[in-house]
Amino acid sequence: MASRVAVGIAGTGSYAPPRVMTNHDFEKLLDTSDEWIVQRTGIRERRYALPEQATSDLCIAAARQALDNAKLDPKDLDLVITGTLTPDYLLPACSTLIQHALGATRAGAFDVSAACTGFLTAMHTGEAFIASGRAKHVLVIGAECLSRYLDMNDRGSCILFGDGAGAMVLAPLAECRQGEIVRTTLGADGAGFDLIHMNGGGSRVPPSAESVARGDHFIRLKGREVFRFAVTKMADLIAEMVAGYDPSEISLVVPHQVNARIIEAAVARLDWSMERVFVNIEKYGNTSAATVPMAFHEALEQQRVEKGKLVVFVAFGAGLTWGATLVRW
């Protein structure tokens, strides 16, 4: 059996579209207030894609930054993998549009669909390709244009979501010498498919005038059930990732930015301080697959990651799906 290649993070990138949607903007549309939203979610504003932008446009901007940071040419890429639930089209894959726009002429390209766990699913897949020797440089992206799928009359869901993209370039650790991927896990439980779902648009409820009129293409969620699941799962995943390590080795936890109250409750279950956790949900809302790579890029920019120490990525979402990654920076 061939030896496993250690994999690291060669570069990161992030992009948030320019349109800002604040809580005060929602006050004009709904029976809500800035205070109500902040108290329950921690969100103050979120970004929405411009009318001429689609998910691939956000991805391309984040990907270019990640490639620049990795000091790689797009032609060095062997594979492009995008985690998204809001691709430009049902077909072709969003990754093919990104691959073409970047000029990554040697790269294969495909999408993964795991909702808010999409980026970690893409990351784990890319890591496996490199670890097995089947690829050397893999671009992994998490991105969404969730604003296109929001029922602006549903106060419980529309205030939560935003648009954005985050990207990473993965490479052999011997080459990039940072961000070693130490431990990973993925999981799912389809019995909870209806906690966060969109009925319309697929083969079970194809697009039609009737399905659009019913609002089947809007995101629906069961907030209380999601809260209970998310708090327990986030705490369990973090504990699983750091098992066997001294707490002093943990530099930072970068969680899926689902809801500030969920993150706080999960950290409390672990009896940890929030000082160990990077949270930027107040600026971007829940961008689903984009939250973890966007937050990690921002954490690096703010020098929140200590060299030689461990970072935990954790996410969960519709499906139900979940995943976590332990990285030594």
Side-chain angles (χ1 to χ4, degrees):
M1 181 181 293
S3 60
R4 180 187 180 279
V5 177
V7 181
I9 299 169
T12 65
S14 178
Y15 175 78
R19 182 187 170 195
V20 178
M21 184 75 173
T22 70
N23 292 346
H24 296 297
D25 292 323
F26 275 108
E27 289 176 345
K28 303 170 187 175
L29 302 173
L30 299 165
D31 179 17
T32 191
S33 68
D34 175 68
E35 180 183 13
W36 188 91
I37 297 171
V38 172
Q39 183 180 38
R40 285 161 177 78
T41 70
I43 301 169
R44 297 185 182 276
E45 61 185 40
R46 67 288 289 150
R47 302 293 187 92
Y48 283 0
L50 300 175
E52 64 271 20
Q53 289 181 311
T55 299
S56 67
D57 299 304
L58 313 188
C59 293
I60 292 161
R64 285 176 172 151
Q65 187 177 42
L67 286 164
D68 286 345
N69 287 339
K71 297 180 173 56
L72 288 176
D73 186 276
K75 293 183 177 61
D76 295 325
L77 293 174
D78 300 299
L79 194 58
V80 178
I81 311 173
T82 304
T84 185
L85 62 90
T86 58
D88 294 26
Y89 311 104
L90 282 178
L91 65 97
C94 196
S95 291
T96 63
L97 307 177
I98 300 161
Q99 178 262 356
H100 174 68
L102 293 175
T105 53
R106 294 181 49 257
F110 61 88
D111 295 351
V112 295
S113 179
C116 300
T117 318
F119 174 76
L120 289 185
T121 304
M123 185 182 183
H124 294 183
T125 304
E127 187 260 352
F129 268 88
I130 299 173
S132 66
R134 299 184 68 179
K136 187 175 182 182
H137 300 123
V138 180
L139 173 65
V140 293
I141 306 169
E144 306 290 3
C145 278
L146 294 168
S147 61
R148 308 283 163 82
Y149 300 91
L150 301 181
D151 181 351
M152 300 305 279
N153 295 309
D154 180 6
R155 184 178 68 166
S157 64
C158 70
I159 62 169
L160 299 174
F161 298 104
D163 303 340
M168 283 184 187
V169 176
L170 305 181
L173 183 65
E175 175 184 311
C176 62
R177 301 184 181 277
Q178 64 181 12
E180 179 184 5
I181 298 172
V182 177
R183 182 180 287 174
T184 66
T185 188
L186 290 173
D189 179 7
F193 81 96
D194 63 341
L195 296 191
I196 315 166
H197 70 290
M198 185 191 307
N199 279 335
S203 60
R204 188 168 298 280
V205 184
S208 66
E210 292 76 17
S211 69
V212 172
R214 289 194 303 266
D216 288 346
H217 59 293
F218 292 137
I219 296 170
R220 305 295 183 189
L221 60 88
K222 298 178 180 179
R224 292 179 182 176
E225 292 89 338
V226 170
F227 192 100
R228 288 195 294 268
F229 160 76
V231 169
T232 302
K233 184 57 66 176
M234 179 180 286
D236 289 349
L237 287 168
I238 295 171
E240 178 183 345
M241 287 297 100
V242 304
Y245 289 97
D246 190 281
S248 65
E249 290 193 75
I250 312 304
S251 172
L252 198 65
V253 176
V254 182
H256 168 44
Q257 307 292 305
V258 55
N259 180 313
R261 308 305 162 232
I262 288 174
I263 297 170
E264 291 163 359
V267 172
R269 283 175 67 95
L270 296 167
D271 198 25
W272 285 18
S273 166
M274 282 297 294
E275 292 179 359
R276 287 187 176 190
V277 184
F278 189 85
V279 179
N280 64 356
I281 192 172
E282 72 278 1
K283 296 189 294 185
Y284 304 114
N286 179 349
T287 57
S288 184
T291 66
V292 169
M294 289 180 72
F296 183 59
H297 179 75
E298 190 169 317
L300 289 174
E301 289 187 320
Q302 296 181 14
Q303 300 182 332
R304 291 283 305 276
V305 182
E306 297 178 71
K307 193 68 177 175
K309 291 198 173 183
L310 298 167
V311 180
V312 180
F313 302 146
V314 59
F316 45 85
L320 296 165
T321 61
W322 56 84
T325 306
L326 184 69
V327 170
R328 186 174 295 279
W329 194 252

